[in-house]
């Protein structure tokens, strides 16, 4: 059974800091891994998607890495801003196609203080 | 980007009543839609997968007679919580799969519906 764990559960940093969010999964047989952002009471916004054959993806100040063999992914946020405050969810997709089930971690709630 | 809407965004109902939540893909057709539930400070849990024109596939532990799913068209799926009870209070999020090919199908999420059962 695939389990996804995110550490830490919550994080508070001053504005401008670089930070790393961690995600681990128990079954390395994944199709892809995705990082989402969720604002309070809102739906999910996809940030980065890494296919199982890829090692990292970058978008602006965000960089996500994937080490499938060790079951780990990290989301690196550079020069954090108050607008980055949100909950960040990691999800792995099971199976061999893009229609496999998404398994979510419990998220890391980030607060960036001005 | 593709847009998925949900209606209503928030609903409060009395115990024992039924509530219907709509999920629409606004600018694409979705043969597959997903329904998730999220309790406070917890992650999203998949409830069921619905395919247009066929019966939904429910996850283990989800009562199909309580959570009725209808995917009658390529742009609309509905979730009806029947005889709702306070323990059904949760944040319900739908997601629609936009076809783009084997490696480029993309799943888009709706904004969620907050259900409170009194």
């Amino acid at each position: 059974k695939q389990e996804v764990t995110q550490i830490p559960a919550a994080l508070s940093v001053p504005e401008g800091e670089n930070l790393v969010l961690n995600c681990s999964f128990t079954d390395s047989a994944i199709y892809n891994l995705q990082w989402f952002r969720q604002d309070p009471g809102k739906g999910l916004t996809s940030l980065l998607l890494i296919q199982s054959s890829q090692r990292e993806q970058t978008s602006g100040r965000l960089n996500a890495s994937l080490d499938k063999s060790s079951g780990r992914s990290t989301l690196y946020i550079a020069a954090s801003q108050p607008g980055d405050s949100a909950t960040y969810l990691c999800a792995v997709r099971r199976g061999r196609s893009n229609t496999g089930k998404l398994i979510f971690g419990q998220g890391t709630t980030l607060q960036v203080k001005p | 980007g593709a847009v998925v809407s949900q209606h209503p965004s928030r609903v409060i109902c009395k115990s024992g009543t039924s509530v219907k939540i709509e999920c629409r893909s606004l600018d694409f057709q979705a043969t597959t839609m997903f329904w998730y539930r999220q309790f406070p400070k917890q992650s999203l849990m998949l409830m069921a997968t619905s395919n247009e024109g066929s019966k939904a596939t429910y996850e283990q532990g989800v009562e199909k007679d309580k959570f009725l799913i209808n995917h009658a068209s390529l742009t609309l799926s509905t979730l009806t919580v029947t005889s709702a009870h306070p323990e059904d209070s949760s944040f319900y999020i739908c997601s629609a799969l936009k076809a783009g090919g084997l490696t480029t199908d993309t799943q888009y999420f709706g904004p969620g519906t907050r259900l409170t059962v009194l």
Side-chain angles (χ1 to χ4, degrees):
Chain A
K1 179 185 175 185
Q2 177 73 273
E3 294 183 0
V4 181
T5 304
Q6 291 185 247
I7 295 173
L11 183 63
S12 181
V13 300
E15 182 177 5
E17 269 203 12
N18 302 324
L19 56 101
V20 175
L21 307 182
N22 296 292
C23 172
S24 61
F25 46 96
T26 54
D27 186 347
S28 62
I30 63 171
Y31 185 74
N32 57 36
L33 181 145
Q34 203 162 357
W35 283 92
F36 294 89
R37 169 184 173 140
Q38 185 177 30
D39 292 288
K42 304 292 184 182
L44 274 65
T45 300
S46 179
L47 298 174
L48 290 165
L49 183 149
I50 311 177
Q51 300 292 350
S52 61
S53 59
Q54 297 176 325
R55 297 299 297 266
E56 67 175 344
Q57 283 287 337
T58 298
S59 176
R61 294 183 293 110
L62 305 179
N63 176 276
S65 69
L66 173 63
D67 185 343
K68 201 172 73 163
S69 61
S70 67
R72 296 175 189 273
S73 176
T74 61
L75 178 66
Y76 176 82
I77 302 178
S80 59
Q81 303 172 358
D84 295 330
S85 299
T87 295
Y88 291 82
L89 294 165
C90 166
V92 298
R93 189 175 296 281
R94 286 174 19 181
R96 299 183 178 183
S97 75
N98 212 9
T99 57
K101 187 190 303 186
L102 268 179
I103 309 296
F104 285 86
Q106 291 191 314
T108 294
T109 299
L110 171 66
Q111 182 184 32
V112 181
K113 297 179 179 178
Chain B
V3 178
V4 176
S5 70
Q6 279 184 243
H7 179 78
S9 58
R10 186 181 297 267
V11 58
I12 301 173
C13 69
K14 293 182 179 180
S15 184
T17 61
S18 294
V19 175
K20 180 186 282 188
I21 303 170
E22 292 186 349
C23 176
R24 294 181 185 273
S25 56
L26 296 185
D27 52 357
F28 66 98
Q29 294 183 331
T31 55
T32 303
M33 290 185 173
F34 306 89
W35 286 95
Y36 296 84
R37 182 166 57 182
Q38 185 179 34
F39 291 108
K41 298 191 184 300
Q42 295 189 25
S43 191
L44 277 73
M45 297 298 294
L46 180 65
M47 299 175 65
T49 302
S50 81
N51 292 294
E52 187 266 338
S54 61
K55 291 184 179 181
T57 302
Y58 289 82
E59 294 300 303
Q60 192 173 11
V62 178
E63 300 176 57
K64 62 180 181 180
D65 294 330
K66 181 168 184 61
F67 299 98
L68 300 178
I69 292 173
N70 184 284
H71 192 161
S73 78
L74 289 172
T75 59
L76 173 65
S77 177
T78 60
L79 168 67
T80 301
V81 184
T82 63
S83 187
H85 288 94
E87 57 265 31
D88 298 324
S89 298
S90 187
F91 193 54
Y92 292 86
I93 301 177
C94 77
S95 177
L97 192 68
K98 181 178 180 182
L102 188 60
T103 61
T104 57
D105 290 351
T106 304
Q107 195 171 335
Y108 293 92
F109 287 81
T113 295
R114 172 73 59 193
L115 170 63
T116 302
V117 184
L118 302 177

